Amino acid sequence: MEPLGSTLTATYAHPRPTPTNFLPAISTMASSYRDRFPHYNLTHTLSLPWRPSTYYKVASNLPTLGPYCTRSQKVCESTMLPFVSNRTTLFTRYTPDDWYRSNLTNYLESNTSRHNSERLRVDTSRLIQDKYQQTRKTQADSTQNLGERVNDIGFWKSEITHELDAMIGETNELTDVKKKLERALMETEAPLQVARECLFHREKRMGIDLVHDEVEAELLTEVDIILCCQERMKLHLDKAIAQLAANRASQHELEKDLSDKQMAYRIDDKCHHLRNTSDGVSYFRGVERVDATVSVPESWAKFTDDNILRSQSERAASAKLRDDIQNLLVVTANEMWNQFNKVNLSFTNRIAETADAKNKIQIHLAKTLQEIFQTEMTIESIKKAIKDKSAFLKVAQTRLDERTRRPNIELCRDMAQLRLVNEVDEVDSTIQTLQQRLRDAEDTLQSLVHTKATLEHDLAVKANSLYIDQEKCMSMRKTFPNTLRLEGFC
């Protein structure tokens, strides 16, 4: 409901318009001289009560009678002016009723104006009181809201402080585990170097002895396991570094948020205790139109809650990462020890197999030599067959060439011509087949020769292979870091 005296709908806000004339129009008057004299337009307003001589001054003006009435044309101006009674009667325009009505209208307008003024005063007094109470209530609400805001900030400050302490402790524990992981990673370099040295020496084997045997497979597996362990360690080390960075980032966000909360707490607490009589209050024109806010209560609370949730999530991830690193150190130490033993066993078996392989290679070499002899005989027979077919081809092509010299109509595509063409095609096809078979036989011979050379070379390097496996590799694989050092405790 709109309060009484509102400046929007109060009746005094829209006063009645002042009439342009207090007296009624002449056209509504029923006077006896209406048809005798003309209407005279007043040059002065009659709505001015502070000018009582208005009526007289208007009546004293001389009208022009000619254009309005035929009777006036018969009245001479010289006969009208000398007589005062005639002049008065001539220029009278209103009746007594008009005069009384005009006075009554003025009285009514006066009463209305006074009534509106009185209502205005009463409404204004009520408005002042209402606005005063409303202003005090608004200030009390603002003070209460500031107090609630201070309590909210204090609550989030305590939450941030608790989470910040927990985050600092977790960061210190993760740093210790990270240092242990770095020490374990350094200890894996020695076993890796031994395995690579063995592979390097075995690369000096020649010929067929450069085989991907079980020893090499186990050595490669050992290198892969050590590298895999190192990769996992490095991966967890990178994770630890990244997790420490994430922890510090969350810690930084918490510290920054805590610093902002402390500053906001001081400002809002100061605003909460400000009163009308406090020092330092002043006018700041237009400050209410400057909206420098960047959040609403929901987003403000969500921001701090997100920071705390992020910190809790990072702490949980950090604790899980610490457990993963501890388990990784135990698992990698066991894997490297088990593979070290497998490699040594493979070396022993390989040395025993090398002598047996030498005898088998000699048998295969003898068979290869026999096959080379037979292949060479086959090649010679193929060459002789190709040479024999060349004579038949020459005869057929010569016949065809001679028949091309037949004159005119004698160039007939007869049966003899067709048979010669077929003969050339058949002989040529046979020669092509034999030549392809000759190339295949020569390729086979080259392969056999290459195999022979490989086998002969392999027999010459067996002693070198035995020396590498027995003397060089096994002599280096006598030491290995203990489990505690591989777990980073030393």
Side-chain angles (χ1 to χ4, degrees):
M1 178 181 294
E2 187 175 355
L4 182 62
S6 172
T7 59
L8 296 179
T9 59
T11 56
Y12 55 77
H14 304 283
R16 293 174 56 185
T18 305
T20 58
N21 198 334
F22 285 111
L23 300 178
I26 298 177
S27 60
T28 60
M29 297 171 54
S31 68
S32 60
Y33 53 86
R34 180 174 181 181
D35 297 332
R36 297 178 178 270
F37 302 101
H39 169 70
Y40 184 77
N41 292 325
L42 299 180
T43 60
H44 301 278
T45 178
L46 302 180
S47 61
L48 304 176
W50 58 85
R51 297 181 65 184
S53 62
T54 300
Y55 295 110
Y56 177 76
K57 289 183 179 180
V58 172
S60 64
N61 289 332
L62 178 63
T64 302
L65 304 177
Y68 297 95
C69 182
T70 56
R71 290 187 179 182
S72 64
Q73 295 176 2
K74 299 178 182 180
V75 180
C76 179
E77 181 179 0
S78 61
T79 59
M80 293 173 58
L81 293 177
F83 302 98
V84 178
S85 59
N86 292 339
R87 288 164 54 193
T88 303
T89 304
L90 177 63
F91 291 100
T92 299
R93 297 189 176 190
Y94 304 101
T95 63
D97 293 336
D98 296 334
W99 182 80
Y100 284 115
R101 281 197 300 271
S102 176
N103 290 338
L104 182 59
T105 300
N106 291 335
Y107 302 154
L108 292 177
E109 290 292 338
S110 176
N111 290 333
T112 302
S113 299
R114 285 185 290 102
H115 178 68
N116 290 339
S117 177
E118 182 179 358
R119 287 184 59 189
L120 176 63
R121 288 187 293 101
V122 173
D123 291 345
T124 301
S125 177
R126 186 184 300 111
L127 176 65
I128 292 173
Q129 186 64 25
D130 292 343
K131 293 303 179 182
Y132 176 73
Q133 296 297 332
Q134 181 181 356
T135 303
R136 290 195 60 183
K137 183 178 182 301
T138 301
Q139 188 183 64
D141 293 341
S142 299
T143 303
Q144 181 180 357
N145 292 335
L146 285 172
E148 294 174 356
R149 180 66 174 181
V150 169
N151 293 334
D152 292 342
I153 296 175
F155 167 76
W156 286 113
K157 277 177 55 182
S158 62
E159 293 293 323
I160 293 174
T161 302
H162 178 269
E163 181 60 30
L164 186 60
D165 294 338
M167 174 56 74
I168 293 174
E170 177 61 32
T171 301
N172 294 333
E173 293 181 2
L174 182 60
T175 302
D176 296 338
V177 174
K178 172 178 167 290
K179 293 179 179 179
K180 183 188 295 186
L181 180 61
E182 290 174 344
R183 290 193 297 267
L185 181 60
M186 292 178 60
E187 291 296 329
T188 59
E189 291 296 330
L192 179 62
Q193 185 65 26
V194 170
R196 284 178 171 173
E197 285 290 333
C198 291
L199 287 172
F200 175 75
H201 287 305
R202 298 191 92 241
E203 287 296 324
K204 296 178 182 179
R205 295 174 299 168
M206 297 180 294
I208 196 62
D209 276 11
L210 285 172
V211 63
H212 185 67
D213 53 4
E214 182 181 359
V215 176
E216 186 174 355
E218 293 296 337
L219 283 172
L220 292 174
T221 302
E222 183 178 22
V223 172
D224 291 338
I225 288 176
I226 296 175
L227 289 177
C228 181
C229 293
Q230 288 183 346
E231 287 296 326
R232 285 185 287 173
M233 290 180 181
K234 291 178 181 178
L235 179 62
H236 282 72
L237 183 60
D238 293 338
K239 288 183 179 180
I241 295 173
Q243 188 62 51
L244 286 173
N247 290 355
R248 294 189 181 97
S250 298
Q251 179 181 343
H252 174 72
E253 292 296 330
L254 291 176
E255 291 173 348
K256 184 175 181 297
D257 197 4
L258 180 61
S259 176
D260 294 343
K261 289 288 187 296
Q262 291 173 347
M263 182 178 293
Y265 185 88
R266 291 194 298 269
I267 293 174
D268 285 348
D269 186 64
K270 177 182 177 181
C271 294
H272 178 249
H273 290 89
L274 281 179
R275 297 296 182 267
N276 294 339
T277 58
S278 300
D279 296 334
V281 295
S282 179
Y283 289 108
F284 296 91
R285 299 295 182 183
V287 68
E288 71 280 359
R289 293 190 296 271
V290 178
D291 188 4
T293 58
V294 295
S295 64
V296 295
E298 291 78 8
S299 61
W300 172 81
K302 185 177 183 300
F303 177 79
T304 302
D305 187 55
D306 290 344
N307 287 337
I308 294 176
L309 290 177
R310 176 189 174 189
S311 177
Q312 292 175 348
S313 176
E314 297 297 343
R315 280 197 301 112
S318 178
K320 183 177 182 302
L321 181 60
R322 285 191 293 107
D323 295 337
D324 292 342
I325 291 174
Q326 296 288 359
N327 296 332
L328 176 67
L329 293 175
V330 175
V331 171
T332 53
N334 293 332
E335 289 179 355
M336 287 187 286
W337 260 108
N338 294 334
Q339 187 60 31
F340 177 78
N341 295 327
K342 288 182 180 180
V343 172
N344 291 342
L345 181 61
S346 298
F347 263 111
T348 302
N349 295 332
R350 182 60 181 173
I351 291 171
E353 292 175 352
T354 303
D356 183 61
K358 180 179 178 181
N359 296 329
K360 292 181 179 180
I361 291 173
Q362 289 177 343
I363 296 173
H364 285 283
L365 179 60
K367 292 180 179 180
T368 301
L369 291 173
Q370 181 64 30
E371 187 65 26
I372 288 173
F373 174 76
Q374 294 179 356
T375 303
E376 289 176 347
M377 296 299 294
T378 302
I379 291 174
E380 290 298 328
S381 64
I382 293 173
K383 288 180 179 180
K384 184 176 180 303
I386 291 174
K387 184 178 179 181
D388 294 339
K389 297 298 184 297
S390 300
F392 293 96
L393 181 61
K394 290 178 182 180
V395 172
Q397 289 181 348
T398 302
R399 288 174 177 176
L400 286 174
D401 184 68
E402 288 296 330
R403 285 176 62 85
T404 58
R405 297 183 179 88
R406 290 177 295 171
N408 300 325
I409 195 66
E410 295 302 325
L411 286 171
C412 180
R413 191 177 180 86
D414 52 6
M415 183 59 68
Q417 180 73 18
L418 295 175
R419 190 67 187 94
L420 286 172
V421 172
N422 290 335
E423 182 183 2
V424 171
D425 292 339
E426 290 177 1
V427 174
D428 185 67
S429 176
T430 300
I431 292 175
Q432 293 295 330
T433 301
L434 292 174
Q435 288 178 348
Q436 179 62 37
R437 186 57 57 88
L438 177 61
R439 287 192 293 269
D440 293 341
E442 290 175 347
D443 292 340
T444 301
L445 179 61
Q446 291 296 325
S447 177
L448 290 172
V449 171
H450 177 72
T451 303
K452 170 181 171 291
T454 303
L455 292 174
E456 290 175 348
H457 178 72
D458 186 58
L459 290 174
V461 299
K462 290 301 179 182
N464 181 58
S465 299
L466 292 173
Y467 172 75
I468 290 174
D469 289 343
Q470 285 181 339
E471 300 298 331
K472 289 189 175 182
C473 293
M474 291 302 293
S475 62
M476 292 188 300
R477 302 184 62 83
K478 294 180 179 179
T479 58
F480 197 80
N482 57 35
T483 305
L484 292 178
R485 294 180 64 182
L486 289 176
E487 292 181 2
F489 288 100
C490 298

